[in-house]
Amino acid sequence: QNTSAATITDSSEAATATSAGIVVEQDNTANALARIGTDGSEGEADDGTEVKVTTTGTTSNSPLTISGTLNRATATGNAASTTVNETDFASNATSAFSAVRQQNTGATGDANNKSVTATVNDTDINITSGTTSGSPLTVSGSTDSAVATANSLTQRMTLDGTKLTLGTVSATAETVGTDTVATGAALLSSRQANTFTDVSAENTASSITMSAGVTNGSSLNVKSNTQDATATGSTAGNVLALSGTTVGTGAAIVSTQTSDAASTVTAATTGQAGITATSLGATTASSASLTDNALQSRATGGTVTNTLTATATTITLQAPDAVPAATISTATGNREGTVSGAYATLNDQLIAGSVAATT
């Protein structure tokens, strides 16, 4: 796993006219594996995490509770975060950028694919009681989860000043072939790619249950529990925030996410959540409630959120562009676009491989 965190911070001065920049490049060529429990694939018995409360006699006027259990396997290929803060200036003429490239790369042939894999096997979260009288039994807020992510990125740039100069011309964001390009005064750029890389999250035989004997005046609750598997090829969040009494122009966010046809994203979950009782309210009313539980699988090839905000009393825009503000190529196999404007955002995504989730 490659992990990076970079920060530039400057504030509380009368004026600044610096150039601030961050560049992060991550190339992962290794497998990433996180595993909890065994599945018998190597001859061993199935065995996983057990969280249990067990009583064999009579439970009378006594609560039995399992709450907030977290059992999670997390595998990550590349993870990065960047922060640029240039704030609290009377006059801010900073030009700033943050650029991140993330790549997972295997080799030709399925056997040579790199893998980012998280597996959770045979988890058992359970309350078992004998006879219960006047007792609440609760399994709630527990999470059993497998999470696999090939590329993960967050970038945030905050620029402010009473006068935030930036510029007076357009910014440009471009994605041409494998290049991701931006020009301007305040820029965020991200490029994430998976080549011959398989991302897999599996949660197998997950069990969150309750078993009771004869019950009288008791409540049995299994609620708000989550059993899931989440696999993601690439995820990015880019935030560019500009503020001041007067704010200039020339800010852009550009992002790309690609995955070739040999790369896959898969998520799978099997399991159960349930309540059993020998009798419910044999002589005095009892209740059983199975509510707000989730058993799910989620597979995503690429997801990105780009947010650009400008908060000001006055923004002076440049003269209208003489050329089209946006040009997007939709030719087969191409991933090319150009956007130009005072404030511009552009995102290109091309996920060619299989993306599948099963529950």
Side-chain angles (χ1 to χ4, degrees):
Q1 175 184 331
N2 295 318
T3 302
S4 177
T7 300
I8 294 175
T9 300
D10 191 12
S11 63
S12 300
E13 300 289 342
T16 184
T18 60
S19 294
I22 295 173
V23 175
V24 176
E25 293 187 335
Q26 295 177 315
D27 290 285
N28 181 45
T29 57
N31 295 325
L33 172 63
R35 184 173 75 173
I36 299 176
T38 55
D39 59 4
S41 60
E42 299 178 3
E44 75 279 28
D46 291 355
D47 189 22
T49 300
E50 294 185 354
V51 181
K52 294 186 175 183
V53 174
T54 302
T55 64
T56 56
T58 298
T59 300
S60 180
N61 299 316
S62 300
L64 303 179
T65 302
I66 297 175
S67 179
T69 298
L70 175 61
N71 188 61
R72 176 181 293 155
T74 302
T76 305
N78 296 307
S81 63
T82 70
T83 303
V84 178
N85 284 314
E86 296 281 343
T87 59
D88 297 329
F89 295 100
S91 176
N92 189 345
T94 293
S95 60
F97 67 88
S98 179
V100 176
R101 180 183 62 81
Q102 296 178 314
Q103 174 93 33
N104 289 280
T105 307
T108 304
D110 291 344
N112 297 318
N113 272 25
K114 293 304 176 183
S115 63
V116 180
T117 304
T119 62
V120 176
N121 296 299
D122 204 36
T123 300
D124 188 5
I125 300 174
N126 170 266
I127 290 179
T128 298
S129 70
T131 300
T132 64
S133 176
S135 299
L137 279 59
T138 304
V139 180
S140 67
S142 293
T143 299
D144 185 38
S145 180
V147 180
T149 306
N151 295 307
S152 177
L153 167 65
T154 58
Q155 294 192 100
R156 183 172 185 88
M157 181 181 293
T158 304
L159 305 177
D160 75 30
T162 303
K163 180 181 180 181
L164 181 59
T165 304
L166 296 180
T168 58
V169 298
S170 292
T172 299
E174 294 182 281
T175 55
V176 179
T178 60
D179 293 330
T180 303
V181 180
T183 58
L187 306 170
L188 291 180
S189 171
S190 64
R191 180 160 69 89
Q192 298 170 303
N194 292 312
T195 305
F196 299 110
T197 300
D198 297 320
V199 185
S200 174
E202 295 185 8
N203 188 350
T204 304
S206 175
S207 179
I208 300 179
T209 58
M210 180 180 296
S211 178
V214 175
T215 66
N216 286 293
S218 299
S219 61
L220 313 180
N221 296 292
V222 175
K223 60 182 182 180
S224 302
N225 300 291
T226 300
Q227 299 153 281
D228 70 0
T230 301
T232 305
S234 295
T235 179
N238 298 306
V239 178
L240 176 52
L242 312 171
S243 61
T245 303
T246 60
V247 173
T249 60
I253 300 174
V254 59
S255 58
T256 65
Q257 293 177 325
T258 61
S259 182
D260 68 356
S263 298
T264 63
V265 181
T266 59
T269 303
T270 62
Q272 64 172 337
I275 299 172
T276 62
T278 302
S279 66
L280 194 63
T283 58
T284 305
S286 294
S287 64
S289 178
L290 186 68
T291 57
D292 296 329
N293 299 290
L295 192 150
Q296 60 192 10
S297 299
R298 294 170 291 186
T300 305
T303 178
V304 63
T305 301
N306 291 329
T307 304
L308 193 162
T309 61
T311 304
T313 302
T314 302
I315 296 177
T316 301
L317 301 178
Q318 68 281 5
D321 290 327
V323 296
T327 302
I328 304 296
S329 170
T330 58
T332 301
N334 281 355
R335 180 186 49 81
E336 299 182 355
T338 300
V339 174
S340 178
Y343 306 102
T345 64
L346 174 62
N347 177 62
D348 275 348
Q349 294 170 297
L350 178 59
I351 309 300
S354 171
V355 178
T358 58
T359 300

